[in-house]
Amino acid sequence: MCGIIGYVGKQKAKPILMEGLKRLEYRGYDSAGLAVLDKAKVKSVRAVGMVVELEKKIAKLDLKGQVGVAHTRWATHGKPSVANSHPHTDCKNKIAVVHNGIIENYLELKKRLSRRGHKFKSETDTEVIVHLIEEERRKVNDLFEAVQRVLPKLVGAYGIAVISEADPDMIVIAKKGSPLLFGVGDDEYIVSSDAAAIISYTKQVVYLNDGEVAKITPKGYQVVEIGQGEVEKESVKISWTQESAQKSGFKHYMLKEIHEQPQAIESAIRGRVDKFIKEGSQTPILGGLAPTKEIRDRLAKIKRIIIVSCGTSYYSGLVGEYMIEEYAGIPVEVETASEFRYRRPVIDENTAILAISQSGETADTLEAIREGKLKGALSLGVVNVVGSTIARETDAGVYNHAGPEIGVASTKAFTSQISILTLITLSLGRQRQMSFVMGKRIAEELKRIPGLVKKTLKKEAEIKKIAKKYGKYDNWLYLGRKYNFPIAMEGALKLKEISYAHAEGYAAGEMKHGPIAMIDSNFPSLFIIPSDSVYEKVVSGVEEIKARGGKVLAIATEGNKEIAKLADDVIYIPKTLEMLTPLLSVVPLQLLAYHIGVSRGYDVDKPRNLAKSVTVE
Ligand code: F6R
């Protein structure tokens, strides 16, 4: 989704902004642009397409300015075009703004501004912001004050960065509903919507909260909360390394992240289960989940959990539902976050709302958690990005520590989330009826998972061959039962996202209630069929498909010879506890999607129309 970069300091802004834009590319975008204050004039260049297009346009421009803003745009209001790309400027081209989010009342504002003589150059919602600033700047002393006067007029979500000719050493930034932070350097600052884009410059960052506006100059920064006055903001250190945000020899981020899963799972459980296993301590150590006695007590009393999340994080939530209900005995519902706020969910103080989000910035999930809090629920988060909005707004939570996930198609975040949900299950289960023996068995098996994932990853060459064989099919059914029903949906989502083949994830038992009608020799079915408690039931489904001439590709447990006789092809995964099979069965599906996407000639790191972090509702 849209990305923001800004720079103010002692170096030339242009190369830093361009580098930042390249690091934002993974988020998904369709145009890019920048504006630099050069010789006291706003110089702006914009281009449709990839950042290289902007680079070509800008190559010959010797911009010396040391203040600037830049943007990658993912079109919402107005098609991808140069005129709609950011930065947008005021009538006299003296002020430039970049914006993430959506201004919901822009049509009304645009009408009023047009009546007052403002000339609009784009179809975007963003442009109203810069014209409003233009008006306010005339009435006050500096850009900082002007922006503060404009923000209360905007309805919707924004992260903005603004520069102005009349305020030569300054960037003003503001946040409401869209992520925004700035890195602190040595007499220089770099603004970004995404921490991963700036870690090569500095790891000390200041996160803005909703309602905050900052003035940043080479001499320092000042932050104000709208209507509340000045706020003290300390910088925090990001632990991610530059290397973790690079491809490290892999062809794509997605492939690198698939292969990083053993480490990501290890990081999710490191230091959290050893004491539990060795000393029989009551629960695994999840400090963030119970930071105070009050939250610990509330957690011990909760009667119901509602998991809210989107996409891949929604599917990990479904696995969590099965685990928590089976082993902790707490009723769980999993709700698509975008639905949650617009109906009337029943919530009370004994309900916990658990948000699962890799980015911690997904607007739908954030709004769902806010809704739950408003209604008195305890709010919890499983979030990867440290310091992100969901992490800050929830009462308690657990960080994934999976490192930056750059590939648009989520992979390592998913297995990391399931690992954390296993720990939460253990923790809640042990507070209730789960025996220590059972808890220890699960914890010990979870510790073996990184090794088993490594073993599964060794199947890549075999999976690549299968991808070649099956890459021609445009329609698929992905089927699984119990713990692997969510994996069927996640596997199908991966295939859709990066190979643009149509795949439906279904509960294997539901297949005979409708989808089987579509089956013919050109419509393969992928069965996730480990040797678990529902194996026999799923085998019947395989037989039914084969009886109708359908092709079957199966993901099965090592040693199962029966399935090899039934299915056309089998990919074997190691044996583990039933509840942990999703951590293994999803791996071949990720690799299959990746290799089908690549064999079809697509750039799997930049799937069309998709954005990494969806910060609009
Ligand atoms: C799929 C994918 C998306 C995200 C979803 C939620 O590969 O990446 O479906 O899972 O947009 O994102 P987060 O987890 O950041 O809230």
Side-chain angles (χ1 to χ4, degrees), residues 286-303:
L286 292 174
L289 193 63
T292 62
K293 181 167 179 328
E294 188 207 332
I295 290 174
R296 232 180 349 265
D297 292 347
R298 279 189 78 184
L299 263 181
K301 281 191 216 133
I302 52 167
K303 301 248 176 317

PDB file of all heavy atoms in Angstrom, residues 286-303:
ATOM      1  N   LEU A 286       5.241 -15.822  28.778  1.00  0.00           N
ATOM      2  CA  LEU A 286       4.767 -14.865  27.783  1.00  0.00           C
ATOM      3  C   LEU A 286       4.563 -13.554  28.529  1.00  0.00           C
ATOM      4  O   LEU A 286       3.433 -13.171  28.852  1.00  0.00           O
ATOM      5  CB  LEU A 286       3.454 -15.348  27.147  1.00  0.00           C
ATOM      6  CG  LEU A 286       3.550 -16.596  26.259  1.00  0.00           C
ATOM      7  CD1 LEU A 286       2.186 -17.053  25.804  1.00  0.00           C
ATOM      8  CD2 LEU A 286       4.445 -16.347  25.057  1.00  0.00           C
ATOM      9  N   GLY A 287       5.672 -12.889  28.822  1.00  0.00           N
ATOM     10  CA  GLY A 287       5.639 -11.693  29.663  1.00  0.00           C
ATOM     11  C   GLY A 287       4.658 -10.647  29.162  1.00  0.00           C
ATOM     12  O   GLY A 287       3.901 -10.054  29.925  1.00  0.00           O
ATOM     13  N   GLY A 288       4.649 -10.473  27.809  1.00  0.00           N
ATOM     14  CA  GLY A 288       3.801  -9.430  27.242  1.00  0.00           C
ATOM     15  C   GLY A 288       2.320  -9.738  27.361  1.00  0.00           C
ATOM     16  O   GLY A 288       1.473  -8.840  27.297  1.00  0.00           O
ATOM     17  N   LEU A 289       1.990 -11.012  27.540  1.00  0.00           N
ATOM     18  CA  LEU A 289       0.578 -11.394  27.598  1.00  0.00           C
ATOM     19  C   LEU A 289      -0.023 -11.083  28.968  1.00  0.00           C
ATOM     20  O   LEU A 289      -1.232 -10.911  29.107  1.00  0.00           O
ATOM     21  CB  LEU A 289       0.438 -12.898  27.296  1.00  0.00           C
ATOM     22  CG  LEU A 289      -0.960 -13.404  27.005  1.00  0.00           C
ATOM     23  CD1 LEU A 289      -1.535 -12.754  25.755  1.00  0.00           C
ATOM     24  CD2 LEU A 289      -0.962 -14.919  26.825  1.00  0.00           C
ATOM     25  N   ALA A 290       0.832 -11.036  29.969  1.00  0.00           N
ATOM     26  CA  ALA A 290       0.315 -10.766  31.313  1.00  0.00           C
ATOM     27  C   ALA A 290       1.229  -9.749  32.007  1.00  0.00           C
ATOM     28  O   ALA A 290       1.891 -10.061  32.986  1.00  0.00           O
ATOM     29  CB  ALA A 290       0.270 -12.071  32.095  1.00  0.00           C
ATOM     30  N   PRO A 291       1.282  -8.528  31.469  1.00  0.00           N
ATOM     31  CA  PRO A 291       2.271  -7.573  31.967  1.00  0.00           C
ATOM     32  C   PRO A 291       1.967  -7.067  33.381  1.00  0.00           C
ATOM     33  O   PRO A 291       2.864  -6.628  34.076  1.00  0.00           O
ATOM     34  CB  PRO A 291       2.207  -6.435  30.952  1.00  0.00           C
ATOM     35  CG  PRO A 291       0.869  -6.540  30.327  1.00  0.00           C
ATOM     36  CD  PRO A 291       0.462  -7.974  30.395  1.00  0.00           C
ATOM     37  N   THR A 292       0.709  -7.121  33.788  1.00  0.00           N
ATOM     38  CA  THR A 292       0.366  -6.632  35.131  1.00  0.00           C
ATOM     39  C   THR A 292      -0.518  -7.667  35.813  1.00  0.00           C
ATOM     40  O   THR A 292      -1.091  -8.538  35.162  1.00  0.00           O
ATOM     41  CB  THR A 292      -0.450  -5.318  35.051  1.00  0.00           C
ATOM     42  OG1 THR A 292      -1.669  -5.611  34.354  1.00  0.00           O
ATOM     43  CG2 THR A 292       0.293  -4.200  34.327  1.00  0.00           C
ATOM     44  N   LYS A 293      -0.651  -7.494  37.132  1.00  0.00           N
ATOM     45  CA  LYS A 293      -1.488  -8.441  37.888  1.00  0.00           C
ATOM     46  C   LYS A 293      -2.940  -8.349  37.409  1.00  0.00           C
ATOM     47  O   LYS A 293      -3.632  -9.342  37.257  1.00  0.00           O
ATOM     48  CB  LYS A 293      -1.369  -8.137  39.382  1.00  0.00           C
ATOM     49  CG  LYS A 293      -2.188  -9.091  40.213  1.00  0.00           C
ATOM     50  CD  LYS A 293      -1.856  -9.029  41.681  1.00  0.00           C
ATOM     51  CE  LYS A 293      -2.699  -9.965  42.522  1.00  0.00           C
ATOM     52  NZ  LYS A 293      -4.047 -10.216  42.085  1.00  0.00           N
ATOM     53  N   GLU A 294      -3.349  -7.118  37.122  1.00  0.00           N
ATOM     54  CA  GLU A 294      -4.745  -6.915  36.701  1.00  0.00           C
ATOM     55  C   GLU A 294      -5.040  -7.710  35.416  1.00  0.00           C
ATOM     56  O   GLU A 294      -6.050  -8.409  35.326  1.00  0.00           O
ATOM     57  CB  GLU A 294      -4.967  -5.413  36.462  1.00  0.00           C
ATOM     58  CG  GLU A 294      -6.417  -5.062  36.210  1.00  0.00           C
ATOM     59  CD  GLU A 294      -6.560  -3.811  35.355  1.00  0.00           C
ATOM     60  OE1 GLU A 294      -5.650  -2.942  35.407  1.00  0.00           O
ATOM     61  OE2 GLU A 294      -7.577  -3.721  34.626  1.00  0.00           O
ATOM     62  N   ILE A 295      -4.123  -7.623  34.461  1.00  0.00           N
ATOM     63  CA  ILE A 295      -4.364  -8.335  33.193  1.00  0.00           C
ATOM     64  C   ILE A 295      -4.259  -9.841  33.417  1.00  0.00           C
ATOM     65  O   ILE A 295      -5.041 -10.617  32.865  1.00  0.00           O
ATOM     66  CB  ILE A 295      -3.413  -7.819  32.092  1.00  0.00           C
ATOM     67  CG1 ILE A 295      -3.840  -6.392  31.731  1.00  0.00           C
ATOM     68  CG2 ILE A 295      -3.438  -8.716  30.859  1.00  0.00           C
ATOM     69  CD1 ILE A 295      -2.969  -5.669  30.776  1.00  0.00           C
ATOM     70  N   ARG A 296      -3.307 -10.245  34.267  1.00  0.00           N
ATOM     71  CA  ARG A 296      -3.182 -11.676  34.585  1.00  0.00           C
ATOM     72  C   ARG A 296      -4.504 -12.204  35.156  1.00  0.00           C
ATOM     73  O   ARG A 296      -5.011 -13.244  34.760  1.00  0.00           O
ATOM     74  CB  ARG A 296      -2.063 -11.857  35.608  1.00  0.00           C
ATOM     75  CG  ARG A 296      -1.063 -12.886  35.158  1.00  0.00           C
ATOM     76  CD  ARG A 296       0.084 -13.166  36.075  1.00  0.00           C
ATOM     77  NE  ARG A 296       0.343 -12.319  37.199  1.00  0.00           N
ATOM     78  CZ  ARG A 296       1.193 -11.295  37.216  1.00  0.00           C
ATOM     79  NH1 ARG A 296       1.829 -10.957  36.101  1.00  0.00           N
ATOM     80  NH2 ARG A 296       1.398 -10.589  38.306  1.00  0.00           N
ATOM     81  N   ASP A 297      -5.060 -11.433  36.062  1.00  0.00           N
ATOM     82  CA  ASP A 297      -6.320 -11.857  36.687  1.00  0.00           C
ATOM     83  C   ASP A 297      -7.458 -11.902  35.678  1.00  0.00           C
ATOM     84  O   ASP A 297      -8.279 -12.816  35.672  1.00  0.00           O
ATOM     85  CB  ASP A 297      -6.696 -10.909  37.840  1.00  0.00           C
ATOM     86  CG  ASP A 297      -5.711 -11.041  38.999  1.00  0.00           C
ATOM     87  OD1 ASP A 297      -4.934 -12.023  38.975  1.00  0.00           O
ATOM     88  OD2 ASP A 297      -5.705 -10.171  39.893  1.00  0.00           O
ATOM     89  N   ARG A 298      -7.492 -10.895  34.817  1.00  0.00           N
ATOM     90  CA  ARG A 298      -8.572 -10.868  33.816  1.00  0.00           C
ATOM     91  C   ARG A 298      -8.447 -12.052  32.867  1.00  0.00           C
ATOM     92  O   ARG A 298      -9.426 -12.687  32.492  1.00  0.00           O
ATOM     93  CB  ARG A 298      -8.532  -9.563  33.018  1.00  0.00           C
ATOM     94  CG  ARG A 298      -9.184  -8.414  33.754  1.00  0.00           C
ATOM     95  CD  ARG A 298      -9.327  -7.203  32.855  1.00  0.00           C
ATOM     96  NE  ARG A 298     -10.451  -7.320  31.913  1.00  0.00           N
ATOM     97  CZ  ARG A 298     -10.717  -6.415  30.996  1.00  0.00           C
ATOM     98  NH1 ARG A 298      -9.974  -5.324  30.887  1.00  0.00           N
ATOM     99  NH2 ARG A 298     -11.749  -6.562  30.194  1.00  0.00           N
ATOM    100  N   LEU A 299      -7.183 -12.337  32.476  1.00  0.00           N
ATOM    101  CA  LEU A 299      -6.951 -13.464  31.560  1.00  0.00           C
ATOM    102  C   LEU A 299      -7.419 -14.781  32.175  1.00  0.00           C
ATOM    103  O   LEU A 299      -7.974 -15.638  31.494  1.00  0.00           O
ATOM    104  CB  LEU A 299      -5.455 -13.586  31.277  1.00  0.00           C
ATOM    105  CG  LEU A 299      -4.918 -12.953  30.001  1.00  0.00           C
ATOM    106  CD1 LEU A 299      -3.429 -13.207  29.910  1.00  0.00           C
ATOM    107  CD2 LEU A 299      -5.611 -13.511  28.762  1.00  0.00           C
ATOM    108  N   ALA A 300      -7.162 -14.910  33.483  1.00  0.00           N
ATOM    109  CA  ALA A 300      -7.539 -16.152  34.155  1.00  0.00           C
ATOM    110  C   ALA A 300      -9.054 -16.320  34.181  1.00  0.00           C
ATOM    111  O   ALA A 300      -9.565 -17.434  34.288  1.00  0.00           O
ATOM    112  CB  ALA A 300      -6.971 -16.168  35.572  1.00  0.00           C
ATOM    113  N   LYS A 301      -9.766 -15.189  34.044  1.00  0.00           N
ATOM    114  CA  LYS A 301     -11.229 -15.260  34.159  1.00  0.00           C
ATOM    115  C   LYS A 301     -11.971 -15.242  32.820  1.00  0.00           C
ATOM    116  O   LYS A 301     -13.183 -15.410  32.806  1.00  0.00           O
ATOM    117  CB  LYS A 301     -11.703 -14.048  34.982  1.00  0.00           C
ATOM    118  CG  LYS A 301     -11.490 -14.245  36.471  1.00  0.00           C
ATOM    119  CD  LYS A 301     -12.204 -13.150  37.240  1.00  0.00           C
ATOM    120  CE  LYS A 301     -11.386 -12.767  38.451  1.00  0.00           C
ATOM    121  NZ  LYS A 301     -11.213 -11.353  38.649  1.00  0.00           N
ATOM    122  N   ILE A 302     -11.252 -14.985  31.731  1.00  0.00           N
ATOM    123  CA  ILE A 302     -12.006 -14.802  30.483  1.00  0.00           C
ATOM    124  C   ILE A 302     -12.811 -16.054  30.116  1.00  0.00           C
ATOM    125  O   ILE A 302     -12.372 -17.174  30.324  1.00  0.00           O
ATOM    126  CB  ILE A 302     -11.123 -14.379  29.276  1.00  0.00           C
ATOM    127  CG1 ILE A 302      -9.951 -15.341  29.116  1.00  0.00           C
ATOM    128  CG2 ILE A 302     -10.722 -12.940  29.341  1.00  0.00           C
ATOM    129  CD1 ILE A 302      -9.249 -15.173  27.804  1.00  0.00           C
ATOM    130  N   LYS A 303     -13.986 -15.793  29.580  1.00  0.00           N
ATOM    131  CA  LYS A 303     -14.906 -16.892  29.266  1.00  0.00           C
ATOM    132  C   LYS A 303     -15.003 -17.120  27.756  1.00  0.00           C
ATOM    133  O   LYS A 303     -15.602 -18.090  27.297  1.00  0.00           O
ATOM    134  CB  LYS A 303     -16.320 -16.551  29.782  1.00  0.00           C
ATOM    135  CG  LYS A 303     -16.412 -16.304  31.286  1.00  0.00           C
ATOM    136  CD  LYS A 303     -17.198 -17.428  31.930  1.00  0.00           C
ATOM    137  CE  LYS A 303     -17.284 -17.377  33.432  1.00  0.00           C
ATOM    138  NZ  LYS A 303     -16.053 -17.036  34.136  1.00  0.00           N
TER     139      LYS A 303
END
